[in-house]
Amino acid sequence: MRDRDPLLALRPWEAPEVTSWGRLPMNAVDRRRETVPLDGDWRFQLLPSPDAPLAAAWSSTYVPGAWTVQGTDDLPQYTNVQMPFAEFPPHSPAANPTGVYEREVDVPADWAGRRIVLQVGAAESVLLVHVDGRPVGVSKDSHLAAEFDLSAVVRGGERATVRLTVVKWSDASHIEDQDQWWHGGITRSVLLYATDPLHLADVSVRASFEGGLRVDCLVRDAGGALPADWWVSGDLDGQLLVQNVEFDRANAEDDRVSDFLGEARIDAVVPEVRTWNAETPELYGLTVRLHHADGTVADTSYHRIGFRDVEIDGRDLLVNGERVYIRGVNRHDFHPLTGRTVSYDDMRADLVLLKRFGFNAIRTSHYPNDPSLYDLADELGFYVVDEADIESHDHAHEIADDPRYLNAFVDRVARMALRDKNHPSIIIWSLGNESDYGANHDAAAGWLRRHDPTRPLQYEGAAKLGWAATDDASDIACPMYAPLEDCVAHALSGRQTRPLIQCEYSHAMGNSNGTLSDHWAAIESTPGLQGGFIWEFWDHGILQSVSDGRPTGRAGAGLYDNGVAAPGHRWAYGGDFGETIHDGAFIADGVVFPDRTPKPVLFEHREIAAPLRIECCRHEGIVLGNHQHFRGLDWLNGTWELALADGRTLTAPAVLPELVPGETVAVPLPFEVPRDGGEAWLTLRVTTAEELPWAPVGTEVCAPQVRLRGPVVPEGVPVDRPVEVDGEGLLLHPLLTAAPTLSLWRAPTDNDELGGMALRWRTWGLDSLVRKAVSVRQTGQSVTVLAEYAGTGGVVRHRQELTPVEGGIRIDEEVELPDEFDDVARVGSVFETVAGLDLLEWFGQGPWESYPDRSAGAPVGHHAVPVDELFTPYLRPQESGGRHGVRRFTLSATDATGLAVALDEPRQVSVTRFRADDLTTTTHHDELAPRAGCVVHIDAAHRGLGTASCGPDTFPSYRIAPGLHRWSWTLRVL
Ligand code: GAL
Ligand code: MG
């Protein structure tokens, strides 16, 4: 029986020309009635290949779901560029996991005579449909739904057996080679629905920001020929809309009239329309009805629409005439338990979090996302770049011009646009990702430009012709990871022809996103630069049980907290499921942990995106500026906060002025700044003033800050008391278990590793410097220790002078970094403390983690954080937990005893439970054993983080030059 099956005989998994068979055209009709959900348990078996005979025994599995995380032996595999199998396109391997899903469906009795459609939300990568053993259809395009008309094979009131066969590898895998986990299964919902034979085949809405509304309907009849005298009507928030009779299907002179494809139009103008934009996403409810000649309703489609325009004017992308900044992120449909299946609540939580951290744009990297994502983007306010499911990364060049794949390129782009065209949030179409540039792209672009002239399209690969080109398949120059100086140079060159918005930048792998604020300083000051999309939202760690190495699947619900997997579990990355072909931790490169816990970079981003900013203006007080595009400040509340170095923090309510977008105003200083108190910083804490769909009242929005008075260098008065050192010149101190020594090494971040810096540091021997005291000299009560730190690449001389001062010891340090060490990780002191000092309090930047090139979002103030919460649990252990601009800190026990450190100037400090070595020698966070005491680093200089794991390194100004480095600090006992 199986060998005679025509669908199997077609072998669609190795026929790129076959994109579908028996599948209905994609459309944007949204019906709410007459549906039968088919999610739930299905009979299931996983065959070793599509040709293999069915086994007698079935198990059961839940739909929607990926079988790779549902208990089968076919586990997730992660590759970036390389294909997971050796076969060249269009071929796939003989070993080809094939899931067969089967269940009975009771077709409602009142569906007799109705048109009955099966919808499969998403299946990867080839779907074959049978009903009662009869072949119904085939579909590819793993992230879009497939619909099949079952009217001829099922009957109302009867039971039918639906079989969905899903073949994992195919010709299509070669154009779904995105940088993510490979899965197999039915990852979105399945359902049946019924309509009248006379039905809406599609609805297209155009709603402009001046209030013009046009609704185009396509009408078909299951019987073929259309009946006479059908008509359409609409309803916009309760207001009746009538069909445009000028555009009359019955007009015999109109050569658009067809016997089987009806076209009707509704035109309207909405006076005083509330326009849609990402700041104020005003939506209207539109209902479109198709009527029989007697007026009864045959079909209904529901839409939430927004009135807005998108256009490109020269090198500016305009939304409603405004040049908006694109503060974007790339987002995958990802979930740490299900792999790919995401619920409405999950997506809502993603978007709510992005709103709270100042994002206003999403690129649906690298395929059309779950349909609800776009509803949520419309509702919460995001500009969306909707991307087609095309990435042929490994064999990009060959496929881009291969005519066998032509149909697939056009099909995927067209189906995306047909499904998503009515979403106001989508302002740009994308032809896909990393697939070189060829005739197949131009064909897809041609289809799209003709079908939807209202939106620009972009394709990074087309930019190969140069950002200034005008004749390629991209209306936007959308490079990835372009050096900032190149972007600025292009914008200043006079040759810019189109907007420059990076489709990917600031790679968030591990402890990263250095120089984000430098990017935005340039973007906001350089006409022609308009923003970009951070790579990426998620760390795609899959929750794995360590004992059996399997993904937990949905059973892992609740087995993680605050970014960390529960004991016995970990966040798996490439290679953790026994794959031999994989790309390791490169899959963990998001701004949130796999459970959506924010990483510190999000606080940086929130501040960079601040809608309200302040500047210090000597004569006039403080200048406030509205940095939004469309709205005033009435949705915000403010509180002034004055932090003084002496420990005081004064607060006062702020009265926010009425400012239109772009406007500034000077206000008097809210405080009489006390003459004493030392260094002084004024912060405006800005929170939401009203209940918003994405934030309750009082949610922090930003905390812009200005310095009112500079620091005063603390002086320790020398006293007559000895300092104790051992024979090696190491300080003996009751609270220290390891004396302060020189540190030039940090546990390499992913950027350090992949950017090649860590290799150089290791070659120089910085990870294992050998210390030798050269001289220990007593001068009065001070001790001066000269030491040499020898590495394979050179010797570093370090001088430490320990002077007893009032209440403690002052430590003056100096190193001469030889020219050979021209770019080290840090220059500073490291020491370790006794156990029990579990609270860090400091005056400096915080409270979250910050580094020299990622510190714009950490205001100066008085902060207190338990030591165990200072460390950020990046999936692959690495340098973490640093705090920038620390002026002084205390480490104390519950009884308030402990130590206090005062620094000569704001320094990078870190207090963790881990030595750099502990972090370097482990591969997953769960392998780390926290030490009882604290490992404390005080750095005279700390290398910026950069983004070198994929993209530019940190700027030279954030690197450490050879030569003399001096720092000084005072250690006291509390
Ligand atoms: C880009 C690519 C992304 C991802 C990223 C690195 O080249 O488009 O899919 O691979 O680099 O994480
Ligand atoms: Mg790629």
Side-chain angles (χ1 to χ4, degrees), residues 332-521:
H332 274 279
D333 277 348
F334 166 80
H335 192 279
L337 303 181
T338 66
R340 288 239 211 285
T341 301
V342 288
S343 69
Y344 176 86
D345 290 344
D346 288 327
M347 286 176 278
R348 188 174 184 98
D350 295 355
L351 268 51
V352 159
L353 182 133
L354 285 170
K355 282 299 265 196
R356 290 191 189 173
F357 285 97
F359 289 88
N360 71 357
I362 293 170
R363 172 174 176 239
T364 68
S365 56
H366 298 301
Y367 41 81
N369 284 183
D370 187 285
S372 299
L373 193 278
Y374 305 86
D375 296 334
L376 286 161
D378 293 344
E379 180 191 325
L380 298 171
F382 286 94
Y383 303 120
V384 174
V385 173
D386 199 11
E387 188 151 283
D389 190 1
I390 302 172
E391 177 164 345
S392 57
H393 206 155
D394 200 6
H395 303 295
H397 181 61
E398 302 89 322
I399 290 178
D401 282 306
D402 185 335
R404 291 173 297 177
Y405 277 96
L406 169 66
N407 193 15
F409 274 56
V410 179
D411 188 56
R412 285 162 185 252
V413 168
R415 277 166 36 84
M416 166 184 73
L418 286 166
R419 184 191 72 164
D420 294 338
K421 58 184 176 269
N422 296 336
H423 289 282
S425 56
I426 298 172
I427 59 163
I428 298 168
W429 301 115
S430 161
L431 300 181
N433 189 54
E434 297 187 319
S435 303
D436 205 315
Y437 181 37
N440 294 343
H441 291 103
D442 281 342
W447 189 95
L448 201 52
R449 290 196 199 281
R450 171 95 190 181
H451 183 80
D452 180 13
T454 71
R455 292 179 178 92
L457 65 89
Q458 71 175 51
Y459 175 53
E460 183 265 339
K464 284 196 146 187
L465 304 182
W467 298 346
T470 48
D471 56 349
D472 60 20
S474 193
D475 301 325
I476 291 171
C478 49
M480 46 174 74
Y481 312 108
L484 179 59
E485 61 272 23
D486 292 4
C487 298
V488 173
H490 178 63
L492 299 179
S493 69
R495 293 195 324 272
Q496 189 176 3
T497 53
R498 47 188 169 180
L500 199 164
I501 301 169
Q502 293 217 54
C503 70
E504 296 177 28
Y505 81 112
S506 198
H507 195 247
M509 183 179 187
N511 193 357
S512 186
N513 305 100
T515 73
L516 193 59
S517 63
D518 304 82
H519 273 79
W520 276 93

Side-chain angles (χ1 to χ4, degrees), residues 683-952:
T683 309
L684 180 58
R685 296 220 170 258
V686 181
T687 55
T688 53
E690 54 194 51
E691 204 67 25
L692 296 167
W694 51 271
V697 176
T699 302
E700 186 145 343
V701 172
C702 56
Q705 185 173 57
V706 291
R707 193 177 80 169
L708 297 184
R709 196 161 54 209
V712 185
V713 182
E715 290 273 323
V717 183
V719 293
D720 194 19
R721 174 167 43 77
V723 173
E724 279 192 73
V725 297
D726 69 8
E728 293 299 307
L730 295 170
L731 175 69
L732 295 169
H733 191 282
L735 292 178
L736 304 193
T737 55
T741 52
L742 175 70
S743 173
L744 302 179
W745 165 252
R746 69 182 178 201
T749 63
D750 291 310
N751 290 331
D752 296 339
E753 290 288 6
L754 297 174
M757 285 78 84
L759 181 69
R760 296 169 69 209
W761 299 337
R762 286 194 184 95
T763 315
W764 297 340
L766 299 188
D767 53 338
S768 51
L769 289 175
V770 179
R771 177 183 184 276
K772 190 176 80 190
V774 179
S775 73
V776 180
R777 216 178 54 229
Q778 183 102 26
T779 328
Q781 294 291 26
S782 297
V783 177
T784 304
V785 182
L786 287 177
E788 276 182 4
Y789 288 76
T792 36
V795 173
V796 182
R797 270 172 258 286
H798 174 235
R799 179 174 177 280
Q800 205 175 47
E801 190 177 330
L802 305 149
T803 310
V805 291
E806 223 171 353
I809 304 162
R810 195 178 72 227
I811 303 162
D812 298 298
E813 313 204 40
E814 190 179 296
V815 295
E816 179 79 34
L817 267 190
D819 286 348
E820 304 88 274
F821 296 161
D822 62 356
D823 181 11
V824 300
R826 59 158 38 113
V827 177
S829 327
V830 59
F831 62 87
E832 292 178 22
T833 74
V834 297
L837 306 183
D838 294 339
L839 179 67
L840 181 76
E841 291 172 270
W842 73 99
F843 179 56
Q845 292 188 248
W848 26 78
E849 184 190 89
S850 54
Y851 283 84
D853 59 350
R854 203 190 68 215
S855 67
V860 177
H862 300 284
H863 306 288
V865 176
V867 171
D868 289 320
E869 291 168 26
L870 288 163
F871 187 77
T872 310
Y874 296 112
L875 267 58
R876 196 189 63 77
Q878 55 194 278
E879 161 65 31
S880 156
R883 298 297 187 278
H884 192 60
V886 176
R887 281 81 168 151
R888 62 159 195 268
F889 65 89
T890 63
L891 260 173
S892 58
T894 39
D895 63 0
T897 60
L899 56 83
V901 170
L903 302 161
D904 55 345
E905 54 181 85
R907 302 279 183 192
Q908 181 80 17
V909 167
S910 89
V911 179
T912 70
R913 301 283 187 207
F914 308 106
R915 293 181 184 159
D917 258 8
D918 302 338
L919 303 170
T920 312
T921 50
T922 43
T923 62
H924 291 75
H925 183 75
D926 67 301
E927 296 160 25
L928 286 173
R931 291 173 185 274
C934 300
V935 179
V936 182
H937 279 273
I938 296 170
D939 294 328
H942 194 103
R943 191 185 199 279
L945 298 167
T947 60
S949 56
C950 181

Side-chain angles (χ1 to χ4, degrees), residues 241-320:
L241 305 175
V242 292
Q243 185 173 334
N244 179 348
V245 287
E246 305 282 296
F247 189 87
D248 189 354
R249 69 190 163 81
N251 180 349
E253 275 94 47
D254 187 339
D255 59 10
R256 296 175 66 93
V257 167
S258 158
D259 294 334
F260 64 91
L261 182 64
E263 291 176 63
R265 178 173 290 179
I266 295 169
D267 282 306
V269 174
V270 179
E272 289 170 41
V273 71
R274 289 173 278 115
T275 57
W276 187 97
N277 60 69
E279 290 170 12
T280 54
E282 296 283 354
L283 293 176
Y284 287 74
L286 170 71
T287 306
V288 179
R289 292 193 195 87
L290 169 63
H291 302 266
H292 291 289
D294 64 1
T296 54
V297 175
D299 202 359
T300 310
S301 184
Y302 301 91
H303 305 265
R304 299 193 75 194
I305 63 166
F307 290 80
R308 64 109 187 85
D309 283 355
V310 188
E311 73 185 290
I312 289 181
D313 182 10
R315 57 185 188 173
D316 297 330
L317 172 73
L318 307 179
V319 173
N320 299 344

